[in-house]
Amino acid sequence: MKWLRSVMGVLFFYFFTFLPLSGQSRDQQVRAHIDSALTARYYRIPYDTNYVVRPEGKLTLKVRLNQTGNDFHVKGTVNGIYSKADLKTSHKTTMSIGASYRGISASLSINPAKMSGAYKDYEFNLNYYSSRISLDFSYQRSETLAGDVDRENRGVQTMESGDLMLKVINLAGYYTFNHRRFSFPAAFNQSYIQRRSAGSWLAGISYQGGSIETTDELKKRNSNAPDVTIDVGHIGIGGGYGYNWVLGKRWLLHFSMLPTFVVYNRNKMTVNGADKEAKHMRFNMIFNERAAVVYHFSPRYFAGATLVMNNSVFDDDAVVVNQNKWRARVSVGMRL
């Protein structure tokens, strides 16, 4: 019977796959199979080895210092009253320790200010870099957004930490056309080594979305403060270019830019229940920029710094929303 043959086949495969050989235990056998599979995946060659190679060594260890920031510039007219806001979040600083085994990575981060209770914001960052596809994703929930709000004929009001709640998502995805000779990972996570200078055209998509709204804390501090909600959401598609400069045998410099054109938005400002909405289809831009420098002390030791930025330039007769999100990182590492 077919089902019996299938079961016998599975048992046969399991028995001979995990049967201890040459005195090895079953756990050793399993680890050997996993290591063999990861090694084959790690060293497969989807690239030109004259330009890009894998580093030697199974394990890479890193210590990193990260800092992020975000600022917003918003303008709009609701019920005939013109308002302008210039707002910034507190900078978030974290330290992390990371390990990568044959391209599989994990890290642990700590925020000293958050551990001491001085910083209550939350931020999640996900960065993925491969030969063809790269992705930068961040979600930020912040109560430290502060700055000045200028309302026509009503003066400038200072917004303090706790007066506003920010929830925002930033996403930038890249496709690398010259992936055989140009490597994003060489610049940003050192899972490859760029041997010769090379560049590539890029295609990508951007998204920025979220909201800013006044809190109950503001009402307690100022009972006359208006209820304000700013909804942000725009999607962009576009193309750009990136280049890796290899200087000598130790330095790698990277710069890339991906401008995208906003093809749809849902930006809206609401003040005391009255709202003003931007046109859904309007020509605007989101710029995604990356820069990096890597120095190899030797084949085993390296250090680097990276900068990733997302800047929107959204202009409309009803609502203007410009966001500038950035993340800076310094790291040192070793390969074993």
Side-chain angles (χ1 to χ4, degrees):
M1 295 186 296
K2 290 184 177 180
W3 67 269
L4 181 59
R5 289 198 301 268
S6 298
V7 171
M8 293 299 294
V10 170
L11 293 175
F12 181 85
F13 173 80
Y14 180 85
F15 178 79
F16 282 99
T17 298
F18 296 104
L19 179 68
L21 299 174
S22 303
Q24 287 185 331
S25 68
R26 181 172 296 177
D27 288 342
Q28 290 174 325
Q29 192 86 9
V30 172
R31 287 197 296 268
H33 276 281
I34 293 174
D35 185 70
S36 177
L38 290 176
T39 301
R41 173 184 175 273
Y42 186 74
Y43 283 112
R44 67 184 180 183
I45 306 177
Y47 43 82
D48 184 341
T49 54
N50 291 315
Y51 286 81
V52 180
V53 296
R54 282 288 199 181
E56 294 298 328
K58 295 183 179 181
L59 182 65
T60 301
L61 302 176
K62 290 183 186 178
V63 177
R64 300 187 299 200
L65 177 66
N66 313 279
Q67 189 170 78
T68 62
N70 203 351
D71 63 86
F72 281 84
H73 306 281
V74 183
K75 302 176 186 178
T77 301
V78 181
N79 284 340
I81 299 176
Y82 172 80
S83 299
K84 175 184 176 183
D86 296 305
L87 308 167
K88 291 185 178 181
T89 63
S90 294
H91 293 169
K92 175 190 173 186
T93 302
T94 61
M95 293 179 292
S96 65
I97 299 174
S100 178
Y101 182 82
R102 294 300 196 209
I104 306 299
S105 302
S107 65
L108 174 66
S109 299
I110 60 172
N111 185 334
K114 192 175 184 69
M115 294 174 66
S116 68
Y119 185 90
K120 298 181 180 180
D121 291 1
Y122 171 80
E123 184 171 339
F124 172 77
N125 286 276
L126 173 65
N127 312 111
Y128 172 77
Y129 304 111
S130 70
S131 298
R132 301 189 185 193
I133 304 295
S134 296
L135 177 72
D136 291 314
F137 172 86
S138 69
Y139 170 75
Q140 184 179 16
R141 181 182 181 275
S142 173
E143 297 180 16
T144 62
L145 194 65
D148 294 329
V149 177
D150 186 359
R151 303 188 70 204
E152 187 177 21
N153 300 324
R154 303 192 181 189
V156 177
Q157 180 178 359
T158 299
M159 308 300 288
E160 300 178 356
S161 179
D163 290 345
L164 299 170
M165 171 64 74
L166 166 69
K167 299 177 182 178
V168 66
I169 290 174
N170 286 271
L171 171 67
Y174 297 65
Y175 179 84
T176 304
F177 288 99
N178 188 22
H179 57 272
R180 287 181 55 80
R181 295 185 174 183
F182 170 83
S183 175
F184 266 122
F188 288 90
N189 64 15
Q190 291 78 54
S191 59
Y192 290 83
I193 295 176
Q194 186 85 39
R195 300 180 67 183
R196 294 184 180 180
S197 300
S200 177
W201 292 104
L202 309 169
I205 185 170
S206 302
Y207 174 75
Q208 291 185 339
S211 65
I212 302 172
E213 58 184 18
T214 52
T215 65
D216 292 338
E217 291 298 320
L218 176 62
K219 281 292 186 181
K220 292 178 182 178
R221 194 168 61 85
N222 183 359
S223 59
N224 295 320
D227 291 321
V228 179
T229 300
I230 301 167
D231 292 304
V232 180
H234 31 252
I235 300 173
I237 57 174
Y241 192 79
Y243 199 86
N244 283 345
W245 286 273
V246 177
L247 305 178
K249 296 183 178 180
R250 296 182 181 273
W251 289 96
L252 171 63
L253 303 180
H254 167 91
F255 181 76
S256 60
M257 176 176 284
L258 179 71
T260 59
F261 299 93
V262 174
V263 295
Y264 179 80
N265 85 87
R266 58 172 185 81
N267 294 352
K268 182 172 69 172
M269 178 184 289
T270 304
V271 180
N272 293 332
D275 60 60
K276 195 73 171 180
E277 191 170 3
K279 297 181 179 67
H280 293 306
M281 304 295 293
R282 189 174 177 89
F283 178 79
N284 284 283
M285 301 286 292
I286 302 174
F287 294 93
N288 304 285
E289 306 98 2
R290 290 175 175 175
V293 55
V294 181
Y295 181 75
H296 293 90
F297 299 96
S298 69
R300 291 184 59 190
Y301 300 97
F302 60 89
T306 64
L307 177 65
V308 177
M309 297 185 293
N310 309 107
N311 313 107
S312 64
V313 182
F314 187 89
D315 195 357
D316 184 86
D317 297 336
V319 182
V320 176
V321 181
N322 297 333
Q323 181 189 183
N324 302 295
K325 178 75 169 68
W326 57 270
R327 187 205 72 213
R329 174 175 290 167
V330 178
S331 62
V332 294
M334 65 180 298
R335 300 184 178 98
L336 302 174

